[in-house]
Amino acid sequence: MLDYFQHGLLLMDLYKKLEILSRSAKYDASCASSGSSRKNDLGGIGTAVKSGICHSWSDDGRCISLFKILLTNMCTYDCAYCINRVSNDLPRALFTPEEIAELTVQLYRRNYIEGLFLSSAIYRNPDYTMELIFRTVTILRKKYRFNGYIHAKAMPGADPVLIRKTGFLADRMSANIELPSEKSLTLLAPQKKKGAIFKAMINIKSNILDCRERDYSPGRERGFVPAGQSTQLVIGASPESDYTILNLSEALYRSFSLKRVYYSAYVPVTASDARLPVAEPPLRREHRLYQADWLLRFYGFNAGELLSEKNQNFDPELDPKSQWALSNMYLFPVEINKADYAMLLRVPGIGMRSAQRIMKSRTVRSLTFDELQRTGVVLKRARFFVTCNGKHLEKEELDVVSIKERIIGNHAPLLLTAARNKERSIGQLDLFGSNFLTAPEPGIIAITGEL
Amino acid sequence: MSPASGSGQVTYIYDGSFHGLMTIAYEAEKGNIIPHCILVMEPDTPLLFHDYIHVATDLNKAEEVIGAIKTKLPPLAYKRVLFCYLSEVPNAPQCIIDYLNLGWRYGKLLDHYSAHDNAMPLRRLAEKVAREWHRMTGLVRFRLAPGGIYYAPIEPDYNVLPLLSPHFAERMAQEHWIIHDIGRNIASRYSGGEWDIIDFEIVDTIEYDDAELACQNLWNNYFTNIAIGYRKNKRLQKQFLPRRYWKHLVERIA
Ligand code: SF4
C-alpha cells in the first residue's frame, strides 16, 4: 500500500479537497472534450461525442466540459507564474486515484460533465505523479468501465512506458510547454527542461503514429490517444512577441502534429516577483492569438504571412485576417463568383462555412450581394474586399486607413475568449453538410469561425 | 358551409403527427392539393368563404414520402425536415411543404439552392432545433431520485426530447432514467435498453436523499471555484448560457 494513504491530508473532507484542487486547476485552458467518438460498450457507462459537449459556462464565460482537477497541488517545483509553486503559501491537498475515479463517475451520471481532465503538480517526482495519473485512469476504464472522455497530462521527465500505458486509456494527452522560449523557461521555471517537455511530446507523437501504422488489434479497443495531443502556452508572463509565439505554434503543429495549441493569458499570481509583470491579464492578445491560430489551421495561412520581423505583434484593434488583408490590398477586390476556394477563405468576413456555401450556390447561378449575405458572410467586413458580378458595394474607392477605421467601427464589442470556445459552441452543427472539404480535425469541420 | 370554389383560400387540417404532415406532402406532390395554409386544429372562429379540409393520416402515403426524401434528396434533407417539424412553431408545416416542393424539383441538387425563399426558412428552423438539441445534451441535469431513478427536468423551446433520448439511452445504458419536458408535460423514460415518450406530470415534490444533495453541493462548489476571478465575464457566460436555461441546472449562477 502506498504511503500517502497514511497521509493526514486524506482525512480532509472531500469538499475541502475539491475546493482546493479545483482552484489550483483552473488556469489550464486546454480543457476540451472534442475529437473522440466512441460508443458505450456493453455494461459500461458513457460515450464520447466527436464535437465535444459543453455542460456549463462558469462566471468567466469559459465552457465547462470536463471535470478539471489536480490529483494534488503539492509541488516540488517552483515555477514563478504558477500558484502551486512550492514557495507559495497556499492550502495543499491530495486526492487518491480512487477518490477521483468515484467522483468522476458520480458527476458523469448526473450529466454535469463530459469526462475527466486530470492534471497534477509534480508530487515527489515526475514518475511518481505519472503513476498516480495512470492508476486513476486505469480504475476509471477498468473498474467502472467508463467510456466518457479522459484528458490526462503527461508529466515531462516521467518514464516513457508509463506515458505510453496511460495513452492507451486516455482520449487526449498533453504536456504543457507554458513558456514560449527556452530563455523564459530557464528564468521562470528553472526545474522544467525544454528537452524533457519535447521528449514527452515526441513520445506521444510516435506512439500515435505507431498505433496508426499497426492498425492495432481488436483486443485493444481504443488505440492511443484517439483525440491526439495538445499543449498550452502562457501569454504575457514573459516578453516573447506574437510573432515568436505564432511561429512556435506553427512548428508545433508541423512537427508534433498537435491537435491544438491553447493560449492562456497570464493571470498575476504574485505581487512580489520582479521577474513577472503585474499587468492585467492580456485577454485581447490571447484572443488575437486564438484567431491567428485558427487561420493557421483552417484557412491556409502561415505565420510568416501574418506577422514579420518588422511587425511582431497583432493590432489589438483589428482581427488578424483583416490586418493581413489591409497590408495586401493588391490582392483585392476578389470576385465572389470567380475566386477559388482558397482565396475566398482569405477574405475578411468570410468563414469556412460561408465559403463552402458560396462555392455550392454559384454552381447554379451567380451570387448577388443579397444572396451573399444569406450565406452567412459578414458584409460589414467583406464589403471592402469583394465584388459580385463586377459590382462594388462601396460607392467610392477607399484608402487603407479609412477601411481600417470602418472595420474597427463596425466590430461588435469584443466578448473575449469567444474564439477559444468556438470549437465547442458551434462546432457541432453539421446540418448544413459542408463536408466536402477535409479539415485536419473532422469534428470541427462545420465551424464558421468568421474571422 | 359549402366550399367557396375558386377562392383559393383553403386550409388543410391534420392531426399534428409527423405522418399526418407527410400525408399532406404526399397529396401536394401528387398535385391533389396546393397547400396554402396548414393547421393542426380547426380554428375556434373559422373564416368565412374559406375551406377547411381534413386530411386523414395515411401511413402508406407518409412512408412513401419519407422514403422519397431519403433517396431522392440530399443526405441531410430528412434530418432537416424532421428537425423543422420538432420546432413545433406554427409555420413549420408550411416551411416543410415548401422545402419539399423545391426538393422534388431539384432533387440531389437541392443544397445548391440553400438561399432560396423556399429553403431558407426551413433551414433556419432546423438549425435552431439542432442548436438547442446539442445545447441540451450538455444541460440536462439528472438527480438521483428515490427508487434509483435518475430524473431530469427540462424546459426547452423546441421539442428536442425525441432527439435527446437516444443520446442518453446509450450514454446511461445501465441506469433507469426519466427526462421530463415540463412545458409539454411529456417525458422520456428509459430502462433496460428501451426508451419511450409518455405523457407525464409530477404531482408531489421529489425528496432527494442526503447523498444526492451532497453531490449537488459538491458540483455547485466546483462550479464556483473553477472560474478565474480576473477573467470574470458574465456577459459572455450569458451569451452561451441564456438565462432561460438556468432554472433546471444544479449549479446556481449568480
Ligand atoms: S510544476 Fe510548475 S507549473 Fe506545474 S504545478 Fe508545479 S509549480 Fe505549477
Side-chain angles (χ1 to χ4, degrees), chain A residues 15 18-19 22-23 26-27 39-40 43-47 49 51-62 64 66-68 103 108-114 267-268 283 286 353 360-361 363-364 374 415-417 421 425-426 428-433, chain B residues 76 79-80 83 111-117 120 123 126-127 130-131 134 137-142 144 150 167-168 170-175 212 214-219 221-223 225-228 230-237 239-241 250-251:
Chain A
Y15 275 94
L18 188 76
E19 191 172 313
S22 51
R23 278 192 188 154
K26 67 182 165 196
Y27 297 101
K39 294 199 170 292
N40 198 347
I45 168 171
T47 50
V49 175
S51 57
I53 293 176
C54 280
H55 287 252
S56 199
W57 284 265
S58 49
D59 286 354
D60 49 21
R62 297 190 304 167
I64 299 178
L66 304 175
F67 173 39
K68 179 162 57 170
L103 260 175
Y108 191 85
R109 282 208 191 105
R110 288 166 176 77
N111 203 43
Y112 300 164
I113 54 168
E114 201 56 20
V267 175
L283 295 182
E286 179 196 282
R353 200 155 72 183
K360 244 185 187 179
S361 303
T363 56
V364 286
R374 288 188 179 196
L415 280 176
L416 299 156
T417 77
N421 273 315
S425 59
I426 45 175
Q428 66 282 354
L429 297 174
D430 211 7
L431 258 196
F432 296 90
Chain B
L76 287 166
K79 213 173 178 182
R80 288 190 198 118
F83 281 32
D111 284 356
H112 294 254
Y113 298 85
S114 49
H116 194 285
D117 285 343
M120 208 57 193
R123 292 176 78 114
E127 190 185 31
R131 209 177 274 272
H134 184 83
T137 56
L139 297 185
V140 163
R141 291 286 179 274
F142 287 108
L144 185 52
Y150 284 89
H167 172 79
F168 288 105
E170 200 191 346
R171 179 163 285 203
M172 305 253 294
Q174 300 302 306
E175 321 296 337
E212 170 57 29
C215 203
Q216 295 183 12
N217 272 331
L218 209 78
W219 175 246
N221 191 7
Y222 174 81
F223 178 80
N225 283 315
I226 208 67
I228 299 178
Y230 266 105
R231 304 185 62 130
K232 192 164 173 168
N233 194 338
K234 298 294 284 180
R235 247 182 86 198
L236 190 63
Q237 180 188 37
Q239 180 185 306
F240 286 120
L241 186 52
V250 164
E251 57 271 32

Side-chain angles (χ1 to χ4, degrees), chain A residues 118-131:
Chain A
L118 185 58
S119 182
S120 181
I122 304 286
Y123 179 53
R124 298 191 175 183
N125 57 57
D127 274 344
Y128 194 85
T129 316
M130 198 65 225
E131 171 89 42

Side-chain angles (χ1 to χ4, degrees), chain A residues 75 77-79 81-82 84-86 120-122 178 192:
Chain A
C75 200
Y77 286 13
D78 202 30
C79 311
Y81 55 84
C82 174
N84 302 319
R85 66 189 184 280
V86 63
S120 181
I122 304 286
E178 310 286 22
K192 286 195 176 174

Side-chain angles (χ1 to χ4, degrees), chain A residues 95-110:
Chain A
F95 271 124
T96 65
E98 289 77 8
E99 282 172 328
I100 298 225
E102 173 67 22
L103 260 175
T104 303
V105 170
Q106 290 293 343
L107 300 178
Y108 191 85
R109 282 208 191 105
R110 288 166 176 77

Side-chain angles (χ1 to χ4, degrees), chain B residues 70-117:
Chain B
K70 286 179 177 168
T71 52
K72 295 192 178 133
L73 304 189
L76 287 166
Y78 181 65
K79 213 173 178 182
R80 288 190 198 118
V81 166
L82 196 65
F83 281 32
C84 180
Y85 169 76
L86 290 174
S87 74
E88 298 184 339
V89 302
N91 69 331
Q94 192 65 52
C95 294
I96 292 172
I97 298 297
D98 290 346
Y99 180 72
L100 290 180
N101 271 338
L102 197 70
W104 305 142
R105 192 154 12 128
Y106 295 114
K108 294 277 185 209
L109 290 180
L110 178 57
D111 284 356
H112 294 254
Y113 298 85
S114 49
H116 194 285
D117 285 343

